[in-house]
Amino acid sequence: MIHIVVVLKIKKGGKGFGRFMYLKYFNHVAVESVYSENGNYKKRSFTFGHADEIIENEKVENIEFTDNIHTGTILHLTLIKDCDLDKGLDVIARKLAERLLVFFVTGGKYTPKITIKEEDGSNQIVLNDYIGPDSNIQQIGIDKTLVLRGKENDWNFTVKVYKIYYSAITNKICLTANMREVIDSALHNFVPEFKETLFELTDNGIQKNYMVKAYVQGDYLDTNVTTERDGFIFGKEDDIYSDLSEKQILREVAVIVKEYFQDDIDQRFIDKKKKVEHYVYSSAPWNKTLLKDVDMESIPIGISDFDLEMRFQKIKFEKELNARLALKDLQEKQSFEELKESEYDSIKSAINDIMQNVTETAKNDLVHYVCQRRKIIDLFDNLRRRIETGKTHKESEMHNLIFPMIKDDRQVEYEDHNLWLLDERFNFTQYIASDEVISKVDHKEPDLAIFYESGLFYRNGENAITSPIAIVEFKRPKRTNYPDDENPITQALRYAGKILAGRYEMPDGLEEVIINPNVTPVYIYIVCDIVPKIEEFARFANLSVSPDKQGYFGYNRDYNAYIEIKSFKKVIDDAKMRNQIFFRKLGLA
């Protein structure tokens, strides 16, 4: 059983809702009060009811005055519900002092003396002793007066800031009314640096963690609290109806709290800024031009790289949107010929500002794209190596990196394939089928069948006989055994023959692929390691060895087909060579 002794009855602010909290945690709640009425002393006792009756077993009796009589109330909380109290009384006392701190902060002359003890009266602890300069709960500085100007009146508030050592509660601002805590808000909502745990070092070098709790009092809060004391009747956000809003008060109180910890906050801000810059310069150089637009104040401590990138992308989107809107606004103005000289200079300056934003955004996209290319090249290079078991990576892994299997370009976004590793022209294709059933009668498909426009610079266009066709075949890295019936050159030419025979359709079967065997150019790419059997196949096909000895190339008249065999190393080396100037400019080479 726990006894809470209140020496002085609090007359102000009681709304009669406390019993619900008591009965939530205790099976039995009894109250004993001694009070003076018309010069006579009386004792009233009762218990809280569990059903319809609020008060049960009520007794009121006169008592005779003696020097030992003290007015006050004793609240008996007994039979705790479903709670295993494995903590000592000292731990319970410290937790209670932390939870009931508002009474000591806002009570003034009505501050109660709260004592807890064992059922037999032993081990008596006064909670008030846990609060003070040498205790685990300490006030920082002195009470601060805050004056806020509302729409109609000026309002005075008192702010009291406390350190609570060894507490796991979030740093908070608490708005109080009638000596009760009404609402609270995390400090890091206004000062992100308060998100992490605060600590200080003792003279012995021991780290002491603590949290900060700021209490706010004022007539504005007392007169605008709801009956249930669970909120205020003024708005949470700024509006036209409330003289002051919750957000206004909390924001200004946060400024006061921040002043107490300015040195720590400044250091945490510097550390946070270094983290953001390190992310950009080491992992996301495409965001360099956006660094100056980042609101460092609002970035939370400990933000993840993913969330940080999302912030940069949001900035990029807003800059693009603003540039488009500004350009549209200029386009709607009168023509330059009708402008006065002063107006022309103004609009010319506006155009320059817009173009600068557009240019920065374009640079951002280009840098991001080039960095992604570098990562893809490195990943493709890693797939050449053996895995821990000594086996090689599968053909499907190489295939999926360049273009996902069992899909076509209607299912794969332009940015999600890496056909540029083989040939930059593949970025401008009209239709790509990856192991897709594109034949009307034969379901043995090439690894990749690619149809692209003769102009090479358009991703969409007409289905015409002059539009080239490309076929790509992948073989497993380090494969050496190729039976004659698995000659990749023969396989690719067989696929080309089917396409030239009119056995394939455009997407959704809308029309056949229009071809002319004598006109439609065919490009065949085979990606594999150059081993003796591949060299043999290349000689039989009359292909020439490439200058770097890492591949073969040639032309087959029967199929109007250009054939190129590339080793995995050649794919990587050629891709690096094409992109080397960009890598060097970004410091990625």
Side-chain angles (χ1 to χ4, degrees), residues 446-450 469-473 492-493 495-497 499 522-526:
D447 286 342
L448 279 174
I450 304 171
I469 296 168
I471 295 171
V472 182
E473 279 292 317
L493 288 173
Y495 298 140
I499 296 172
V522 177
Y523 293 87
I524 294 175
Y525 295 86
I526 298 168

Side-chain angles (χ1 to χ4, degrees), residues 211-439:
M211 56 82 68
V212 174
K213 206 166 186 180
Y215 290 91
V216 187
Q217 299 170 265
D219 291 340
Y220 185 72
L221 302 176
D222 292 339
T223 56
N224 287 288
V225 69
T226 61
T227 303
E228 296 81 5
R229 286 205 309 274
D230 59 353
F232 296 99
I233 61 176
F234 50 77
K236 293 182 179 294
E237 300 286 337
D238 301 348
D239 56 46
I240 61 174
Y241 305 106
S242 305
D243 211 16
L244 291 171
S245 68
E246 278 186 22
K247 188 173 183 179
Q248 283 177 277
I249 301 169
L250 293 169
R251 185 171 54 232
E252 295 303 320
V253 172
V255 173
I256 292 176
V257 179
K258 182 180 178 181
E259 291 174 355
Y260 285 113
F261 303 92
Q262 194 63 59
D263 291 342
D264 288 338
I265 295 300
D266 289 344
Q267 184 57 53
R268 291 186 176 202
F269 180 84
I270 292 171
D271 294 341
K272 180 173 64 176
K273 185 177 179 181
K274 287 180 179 178
K275 173 183 171 62
V276 174
E277 292 174 344
H278 179 265
Y279 166 72
V280 170
Y281 287 104
S282 64
S283 303
W286 52 86
N287 291 323
K288 287 181 182 178
T289 59
L290 302 176
L291 264 176
K292 64 180 182 300
D293 301 302
V294 175
D295 179 12
M296 292 290 182
E297 288 281 356
S298 67
I299 292 180
I301 291 289
I303 187 172
S304 67
D305 288 351
F306 176 82
D307 290 335
L308 195 52
E309 181 61 32
M310 290 301 98
R311 285 185 175 243
F312 278 111
Q313 291 304 313
K314 184 174 184 291
I315 294 171
K316 174 175 170 286
F317 172 78
E318 289 174 349
K319 289 173 72 73
E320 289 177 342
L321 181 62
N322 291 335
R324 291 193 186 102
L325 292 175
L327 189 58
K328 181 180 179 182
D329 183 59
L330 279 178
Q331 290 172 339
E332 292 174 352
K333 293 183 180 293
Q334 56 187 344
S335 64
F336 286 111
E337 288 77 7
E338 300 173 356
L339 295 176
K340 298 178 182 178
E341 185 175 349
S342 59
E343 294 173 330
Y344 175 80
D345 291 340
S346 175
I347 290 184
K348 182 179 179 182
S349 175
I351 291 175
N352 289 336
D353 290 340
I354 294 171
M355 293 309 297
Q356 182 177 353
N357 282 335
V358 172
T359 301
E360 285 185 359
T361 301
K363 287 180 181 178
N364 178 287
D365 288 341
L366 178 59
V367 173
H368 187 276
Y369 184 63
V370 172
C371 289
Q372 288 296 103
R373 281 198 167 198
R374 179 61 201 228
K375 291 180 180 179
I376 294 299
I377 290 174
D378 291 342
L379 180 56
F380 191 82
D381 200 8
N382 285 334
L383 291 177
R384 297 169 53 211
R385 299 188 175 98
R386 294 186 184 276
I387 55 181
E388 293 179 358
T389 61
K391 296 182 179 180
T392 59
H393 289 275
K394 295 180 179 179
E395 168 193 335
S396 58
E397 295 179 73
M398 316 291 287
H399 188 321
N400 281 320
L401 179 62
I402 293 179
F403 197 97
M405 297 176 68
I406 322 298
K407 292 187 178 183
D408 64 27
D409 65 346
R410 268 57 177 174
Q411 301 163 289
V412 178
E413 295 290 338
Y414 168 70
E415 296 85 358
D416 293 337
H417 72 70
N418 299 295
L419 286 166
W420 55 267
L421 279 167
L422 302 178
D423 192 317
E424 295 291 348
R425 291 174 296 181
F426 289 166
N427 283 321
F428 306 99
T429 56
Q430 179 188 5
Y431 175 55
I432 305 169
S434 176
D435 283 310
E436 281 274 297
V437 179
I438 52 177
S439 170

Side-chain angles (χ1 to χ4, degrees), residues 99-296:
R99 294 289 184 180
L100 300 175
L101 182 57
V102 65
F103 290 103
F104 305 101
V105 170
T106 64
K109 66 179 182 178
Y110 297 111
T111 300
K113 179 182 178 182
I114 302 178
T115 303
I116 68 172
K117 56 187 176 181
E118 300 289 357
E119 186 174 9
D120 60 5
S122 63
N123 197 17
Q124 183 170 293
I125 297 176
V126 179
L127 298 190
N128 306 59
D129 295 340
Y130 283 87
I131 303 165
D134 299 320
S135 303
N136 284 337
I137 302 177
Q138 302 174 11
Q139 184 174 1
I140 306 173
I142 60 174
D143 295 358
K144 290 278 188 177
T145 299
L146 172 65
V147 180
L148 295 180
R149 173 162 294 180
K151 297 180 179 64
E152 298 180 359
N153 302 292
D154 289 345
W155 297 96
N156 292 330
F157 298 88
T158 300
V159 180
K160 300 181 180 183
V161 183
Y162 285 80
K163 279 184 181 180
I164 303 178
Y165 290 94
Y166 310 116
S167 173
I169 300 176
T170 304
N171 300 307
K172 294 179 180 179
I173 301 173
C174 301
L175 301 187
T176 69
N178 298 321
M179 295 180 291
R180 297 293 190 277
E181 189 173 316
V182 181
I183 64 104
D184 61 47
S185 178
L187 256 171
H188 64 253
N189 291 335
F190 303 93
V191 185
E193 286 74 18
F194 278 110
K195 177 73 171 178
E196 289 189 345
T197 302
L198 297 167
F199 65 90
E200 62 186 38
L201 296 177
T202 66
D203 294 338
N204 297 327
I206 299 174
Q207 179 174 307
K208 293 178 63 177
N209 296 342
Y210 64 88
M211 56 82 68
V212 174
K213 206 166 186 180
Y215 290 91
V216 187
Q217 299 170 265
D219 291 340
Y220 185 72
L221 302 176
D222 292 339
T223 56
N224 287 288
V225 69
T226 61
T227 303
E228 296 81 5
R229 286 205 309 274
D230 59 353
F232 296 99
I233 61 176
F234 50 77
K236 293 182 179 294
E237 300 286 337
D238 301 348
D239 56 46
I240 61 174
Y241 305 106
S242 305
D243 211 16
L244 291 171
S245 68
E246 278 186 22
K247 188 173 183 179
Q248 283 177 277
I249 301 169
L250 293 169
R251 185 171 54 232
E252 295 303 320
V253 172
V255 173
I256 292 176
V257 179
K258 182 180 178 181
E259 291 174 355
Y260 285 113
F261 303 92
Q262 194 63 59
D263 291 342
D264 288 338
I265 295 300
D266 289 344
Q267 184 57 53
R268 291 186 176 202
F269 180 84
I270 292 171
D271 294 341
K272 180 173 64 176
K273 185 177 179 181
K274 287 180 179 178
K275 173 183 171 62
V276 174
E277 292 174 344
H278 179 265
Y279 166 72
V280 170
Y281 287 104
S282 64
S283 303
W286 52 86
N287 291 323
K288 287 181 182 178
T289 59
L290 302 176
L291 264 176
K292 64 180 182 300
D293 301 302
V294 175
D295 179 12
M296 292 290 182

Side-chain angles (χ1 to χ4, degrees), residues 73-89:
T73 298
I74 299 177
L75 177 64
H76 300 269
L77 307 175
T78 59
L79 302 176
I80 296 176
K81 292 182 178 180
D82 300 325
C83 183
D84 183 13
L85 281 180
D86 59 348
K87 304 296 184 183
L89 201 59

